[in-house]
Amino acid sequence: LFLDGSDTVELPIKFTPGDAGCYPCRIVLKSSCDVRVYEIECVVNKHQLDAELEFRTPAYQAVIQNIPISNTSNEDWKLEAVLEGQDFYGPPVINVATGETALYPLTFNPVAEC
C-alpha cells in the first residue's frame, strides 16, 4: 500500500496549558467501519531564567547559598546536580515533592585566594 498524501486529513489541535506539567490526551476517531485511537502526551516546562550567583568569602571559609527549587508539576522530581568549577560542593541528588519547594545547599569553600 502506497500513501501519496491524498488520503490524509489534517486534524488541527489547539493546546493551551495553564502551567508546567504532563498533559496526556486521547483522541478517538470513529466511522461506521473504523475506530482509531491516538494517544498524545505533552510535557510543558517552565520558561527558564538565567541566574548568576556571586560568592565572596575569605580563603578556607565556606559560604552556603540555599537555592530554592519549586515543583509546581503533578509529579515528584528527582534531580541530579552536576557542579562544574573548583571548590563548589552540594548534594548529587535532590528530591522535590509535587507542590513543594526544596532548598539546594550550594557550598563554595575555596582553599586559596581565587
Side-chain angles (χ1 to χ4, degrees):
L1 178 65
F2 177 73
L3 301 177
D4 62 2
S6 63
D7 56 353
T8 62
V9 176
E10 287 188 26
L11 180 64
I13 298 173
K14 183 176 181 179
F15 175 63
T16 309
D19 206 351
C22 181
Y23 296 86
C25 174
R26 179 175 290 152
I27 299 170
V28 180
L29 302 176
K30 295 180 184 180
S31 72
S32 59
C33 59
D34 193 15
V35 175
R36 295 180 187 225
V37 178
Y38 297 91
E39 292 186 354
I40 300 171
E41 182 176 275
C42 296
V43 177
V44 178
N45 297 317
K46 289 243 185 210
H47 178 70
Q48 291 183 332
L49 301 175
D50 291 332
E52 184 176 311
L53 297 174
E54 184 175 317
F55 292 87
R56 290 177 187 255
T57 185
Y60 302 104
Q61 291 187 17
V63 62
I64 299 173
Q65 174 68 51
N66 287 311
I67 301 171
I69 301 173
S70 297
N71 181 354
T72 59
S73 74
N74 296 326
E75 296 180 18
D76 292 345
W77 290 348
K78 180 180 181 181
L79 304 174
E80 293 183 20
V82 178
L83 300 178
E84 296 179 359
Q86 198 170 353
D87 304 321
F88 287 94
Y89 306 93
V93 175
I94 186 169
N95 295 302
V96 186
T98 183
E100 298 289 328
T101 297
L103 297 177
Y104 183 83
L106 179 61
T107 302
F108 178 61
N109 190 12
V111 294
E113 186 176 322
C114 59

